[in-house]
Amino acid sequence: MKKEVLEIIGGQCLNGKTSVYSAKNAVLPMLAGAMLTKDEVTIKDCPFITDIDNMFKIREILSVNTIWQGRDIVASGAVQNNHIPEALANVMRSSIFMLGPLLVEVGDVKLHLPGGCKIGARPIDIHLDGLEKLGAKIEVLDNSVRCHADRLRGAEIVLRYPSVGATENLISASVKAVGETTLIGVAREPEVVSFCEMLNAMGAKIKGAGTSVIKIAGVDELHGAIIKPVTDRIVAGTIILATALTGGCVEIEHCEINHLGALVTKLISPKIQIASSLDGIVVESTGDIDSFNVSSGPYPKFPTDLQPIVTAVLCQGAGNCVVEEKVFENRFLYANELKKMGAEIVTSKDNLMVGCSSLKGANVVASDLRGGAGLVVAGLKAEGKTIVEGVQYIDRGYENIEKIFSNLGAKILRKSI
Ligand code: EPZ
């Protein structure tokens, strides 16, 4: 059977203008939160990526309507079903976002434990602990969880870790609970802020989004809204890192530099200039990378989703450095593939020792979304031809990644072999 691969001929500088769409990690929870009303919720300027396709399938199973209007998604309808089958729950982590809204709208949910990238165990204890505090009855079965609640009641909940998904699920569960909910130790990611903007536009009463404490006053009903989610800082960060590595000058429109502070402060040097443009960011690079250490963490620390991509850049840098992964316990699967290209990397439990080397093209295999993007970025600089397999992982979060970079001058194309 034929499979799709990306074929890259390295060595081209990146130049020109590109733009980013609404963030995958904002649109996915919004497609769950929109179920908190039967009215139409319009989510604007969305990317055509497979994680969104799968959310459409989950919503279809729940018998709510989801249609594309150009790049806008119009979600509507009252939830009729409450069981997400294993096949779909296993396809991606975002199925877990359905737990909060289903509990509110249907009161009884059976959800197979979510799938997702092979980047860690990805338990859901923080989600379940919070829902229990809101009054839900939780039953954990072998590989699924059953939740029941007649009407959730506001509570004070302290999250043991600022989990993005748990923050979003608990916000969904609280917006129509009886009384006030205080969530302490929540995630501060821009995608969480954008999610709260949507719910407030729908009539929710949420305060403190973007800080570590969010307060929610429960309301009886929510109504339709039109929302323009925050744009995708991880796609923008991927393009910035690629340009820094290859050299060139790229403007990324509709991107917010203040959402990429941790990346920008690491990259800026006499050889790499990054500045705000009228409606985005301009990055200009000589293609020479000074090495620096990186440690990922919850926002506003360095984003874990850019960790594989910054490693692909640093292994072609000027010196030795350390990349720490403090969010997921198994997010270095791509390192062995970079070694096939000549990267000098020593892997230990939660960090990589990265040496400097000139990478050569090779046949490599992506095993998760951002690791795959890192292999593509490495191939843009590596000498000769790189073939990247596992394109289906990359398509989960990047719309036509080959077009993003070929439009900027890279020699990259998608082939069936
Ligand atoms: C979201 O995943 C993003 N996905 C991830 O992006 C991102 O890497 C992650 O947040 C961190 O920023 C979406 O928004 C769809 P977490 P999520 O709950 O919510 C542990 C990408 O590439 N944890 O913040 O699943 C967990 O195991 C994806 O776009 C618990 O222990 O991440 C992990 O180690 C990958 N118990 C850490 O917290 C829980 O109940 C962070 O997970 C929940 C999480």
Side-chain angles (χ1 to χ4, degrees), residues 5-21:
V5 299
L6 296 174
E7 180 183 280
I8 308 164
I9 305 297
Q12 307 299 314
C13 291
L14 298 179
N15 289 290
K17 191 181 279 193
T18 186
S19 63
V20 284
Y21 300 114

Side-chain angles (χ1 to χ4, degrees), residues 24-26 28-29 51 92-94 96-97 117 119-128 160-168 187 189 191 232-234 297-299 303-305 325-329 331 368-370 396-397:
K24 165 178 90 77
N25 291 349
L28 294 176
D51 267 9
M92 54 187 239
R93 171 83 181 171
S94 304
I96 188 67
F97 290 131
C117 284
I119 56 178
R122 306 187 81 174
I124 59 169
D125 60 297
I126 303 171
H127 298 249
L128 301 181
R160 69 171 176 80
Y161 179 89
S163 154
V164 171
T167 299
E168 290 160 345
E189 274 71 0
E191 294 78 24
D232 201 311
R233 64 193 166 102
I234 303 302
Y299 191 86
T304 173
D305 292 346
E325 173 53 53
K326 306 299 258 184
V327 176
F328 289 102
E329 67 269 28
R331 201 163 199 177
D368 67 81
L369 164 54
R370 307 301 177 183
R396 292 185 52 183

Side-chain angles (χ1 to χ4, degrees), residues 9-186:
I9 305 297
Q12 307 299 314
C13 291
L14 298 179
N15 289 290
K17 191 181 279 193
T18 186
S19 63
V20 284
Y21 300 114
S22 294
K24 165 178 90 77
N25 291 349
V27 174
L28 294 176
M30 287 179 177
L31 285 170
M35 292 195 303
L36 291 161
T37 179
K38 66 186 182 315
D39 295 352
E40 281 192 359
V41 176
T42 301
I43 305 168
K44 298 189 74 63
D45 202 28
C46 298
F48 299 133
I49 54 177
T50 54
D51 267 9
I52 289 179
D53 297 340
N54 285 320
M55 263 320 229
F56 270 53
K57 290 174 189 163
I58 293 177
R59 283 176 52 90
E60 187 181 2
I61 296 272
L62 301 174
S63 65
V64 283
N65 311 309
T66 329
I67 57 169
W68 284 101
Q69 286 181 354
R71 282 194 174 274
D72 298 347
I73 296 173
V74 181
S76 63
V79 186
Q80 308 286 334
N81 182 4
N82 65 341
H83 175 218
I84 296 177
E86 185 171 356
L88 272 177
N90 278 340
V91 163
M92 54 187 239
R93 171 83 181 171
S94 304
S95 53
I96 188 67
F97 290 131
M98 294 304 191
L99 193 50
L102 284 175
L103 201 52
V104 172
E105 295 303 310
V106 184
D108 195 16
V109 190
K110 182 176 177 189
L111 181 74
H112 279 276
L113 294 180
C117 284
K118 308 176 190 66
I119 56 178
R122 306 187 81 174
I124 59 169
D125 60 297
I126 303 171
H127 298 249
L128 301 181
D129 176 63
L131 291 174
E132 236 170 9
K133 287 190 170 66
L134 289 168
K137 299 285 178 282
I138 309 278
E139 187 187 359
V140 181
L141 311 167
D142 287 348
N143 61 356
S144 65
V145 64
R146 176 157 217 143
C147 304
H148 178 83
D150 295 324
R151 177 98 192 254
L152 296 169
R153 308 191 68 78
E156 179 170 291
I157 301 167
V158 179
L159 280 67
R160 69 171 176 80
Y161 179 89
S163 154
V164 171
T167 299
E168 290 160 345
N169 239 338
L170 296 176
I171 291 168
S172 289
S174 303
V175 288
K176 293 204 277 191
V178 176
E180 180 164 285
T181 297
T182 302
L183 302 176
I184 299 166
V186 292

Side-chain angles (χ1 to χ4, degrees), residues 266-267 269 271-272 288-294 310 313-322 354-357:
K266 286 288 181 184
L267 273 182
S269 73
K271 302 164 187 169
I272 301 175
D288 302 310
I289 302 295
D290 291 334
S291 289
F292 49 83
N293 296 330
V294 169
V310 77
V313 171
L314 289 169
C315 64
Q316 302 183 78
N320 298 325
C321 55
V322 178
V354 183
C356 64
S357 44

